[in-house]
Amino acid sequence: MTAMRKDGEVVNPVAVDHEVVVTVNGVTRSARVPARRLLSDMLRHDLRLTGTHVGCEHGVCGACTVLLEGEPIRSCLTFAVMVDGARITTVEGLAAPDGELGPVQRAFRECHGLQCGFCTPGFLLLTTELLTRSPEPGEDEIAEALGGNLCRCTGYVNIVRSVRRAAELAKEQLS
Amino acid sequence: MKPPPFAYHRPTAVEEAARLLAELGDDAKVVAGGQSLVPLLNFRLAAPGHLVDVNAIAGLDRLDRTDGAVEVGATVRDVRLLREPPVAAAHPLLVEATGWIAHPVIRNRGTVCGSLAHADPAAELPALLALLDGSVEAVAWRRGALTSRMVPAAELFAGPLQTTLEADELVVAATFPMLAAGTGWAVEELARRHGDFALAGVVLTVAVDGDGRPTSGRAAYLSCAPTPVVVDIGPGLDGGDAKASALYELVAAALDPTEDIHASAEYRRHLAATLTVRALDRALARARTDSGTRDQSSEGVRA
């Protein structure tokens, strides 16, 4: 990360932009952003990865959830400059390079785990991480993992069903 | 909503961070996990000119069991307390209280020391620190040298989102004394939605004698006042089997809860007293089946 200065002149520190380099879905990406740029906005505006959705922008809804070094985080509560050098997974990283949907995505489609789809990227990433940690999660474990994300369309019955189906599909894919 | 502009600093040593805070004064805020600060910025309830990110400072991520206490460095995220078995064995109450914080995704980023420095009266860890008579270590750069002091919980919390720490002070660690053997504990709270800030909550410890009868107890309340409130519940234990009604009356009389849009003072008082009775049941059951995983030395905190 380097601070940009105009012709060596010291500028207002608030106006200094920062070069942020991150590995998103296995690809090295960079952007020059002000310190106040939220990770959610860097992904969407600077890197044009609009799969990450911005709902409440204060950490309540979970639509903006991405994986940071494999762990789910709220990208709207994280400054891009603070994760310089990190490895990030967004919903765009869940499908194969040829566009074939991953097991978690297929499960949500099969089980009607979405209606309008706004909250879906967050749920997909939570499910991806949960199944990495716990390949056959129980009902309570699923509820605990997903409990911080909001869906205003379907209710959660089909979402939970989707997670269980995703566990089956992921297992089939492995075997 | 977008946060207001600020200048970003990423010191790599405690001294460098302390010098920065000394220079920038109250125009700077420290950020570690950002799970409380960033919402405030996004809402523009806070607009500091500078953020000092402490994540690159080596050594602040230590999580140690010391003699009679668990020490948590400034960049230790909540999730680590839930995943590192030695800490769980040493301080199951700290683990249980941490498990009540928001949602797993928030705990992946939020830090223990950040919660204490933020001093939200609805947060679990300030109440726990108060209950255990724990402390934080704060450093500052003063008169050309790095100074350090321990701030006991009883002197730390000043009001909602306010501590007695000076603007140039940086919390580098928190100390949570372990429970003495034979001490039971429990955390109870009630929120309208799972993971929300509690309408009221209690963190409680109780000691029992050889026959399993309660001898002393303490309870700390969250969301009941501008700062955590610690109540000696000993008189409500009646020296024998806990009399639920006596305990309820004691707690209801001891608290003077705040009233807001979420709950009336009267409802909070009822809730806090009811949760205390429930917590005591669980704490007593644990005290009577003490698995001996806690601190066996005399250093541990007595209820």
Side-chain angles (χ1 to χ4, degrees), chain B residues 147-241:
Chain B
T147 63
S148 165
R149 67 179 182 120
M150 298 299 286
V151 186
E155 293 166 23
L156 179 62
F157 304 110
L161 311 190
Q162 291 170 335
T163 66
T164 57
L165 297 170
E166 301 292 335
D168 65 346
E169 286 186 299
L170 169 69
V171 173
V172 291
T175 301
F176 291 90
M178 280 147 61
L179 301 179
T183 305
W185 79 96
V187 183
E188 289 284 348
E189 58 179 61
L190 189 109
R192 289 202 195 279
R193 287 166 305 198
H194 174 73
D196 275 11
F197 281 116
L199 294 174
V202 61
V203 188
L204 176 148
T205 54
V206 64
V208 295
D209 63 19
D211 299 323
R213 285 177 308 197
T215 53
S216 60
R218 271 157 64 93
Y221 295 89
L222 45 120
S223 285
C224 282
T227 59
V229 182
V230 179
V231 175
D232 173 10
I233 57 167
L237 301 173
D238 209 24
D241 281 340

Side-chain angles (χ1 to χ4, degrees), chain B residues 3-165:
Chain B
F6 56 83
Y8 174 74
H9 307 268
R10 191 175 173 87
T12 54
V14 169
E15 184 184 314
E16 187 189 350
R19 279 170 177 262
L20 268 169
L21 292 175
E23 178 194 325
L24 300 169
D26 59 10
D27 197 25
K29 285 295 281 182
V30 175
V31 63
Q35 302 301 284
S36 299
L37 179 61
V38 182
L40 289 181
L41 296 174
N42 287 0
F43 276 129
R44 303 218 172 188
L45 293 171
H50 301 262
L51 283 199
V52 178
D53 176 356
V54 294
N55 286 291
I57 300 177
L60 289 189
D61 61 347
R62 68 194 174 83
L63 175 57
D64 299 322
R65 177 182 173 167
T66 61
D67 191 21
V70 167
E71 283 187 21
V72 187
T75 58
V76 172
R77 305 190 193 282
D78 300 332
V79 65
R80 274 185 64 195
L81 299 185
L82 304 176
R83 289 200 185 153
E84 296 197 7
V87 179
H91 212 317
L93 171 54
L94 175 58
V95 175
E96 179 162 316
T98 303
W100 280 95
I101 298 171
H103 303 287
V105 178
I106 300 296
R107 299 195 292 262
N108 283 344
R109 288 297 285 172
T111 62
V112 171
C113 289
S115 173
L116 297 172
H118 185 60
D120 193 316
E124 289 79 6
L125 295 179
L128 177 63
L129 196 78
L131 180 78
L132 299 174
D133 287 326
S135 56
V136 297
E137 182 187 357
V139 302
W141 184 260
R142 288 174 187 168
R143 295 187 202 89
L146 194 67
T147 63
S148 165
R149 67 179 182 120
M150 298 299 286
V151 186
E155 293 166 23
L156 179 62
F157 304 110
L161 311 190
Q162 291 170 335
T163 66
T164 57
L165 297 170

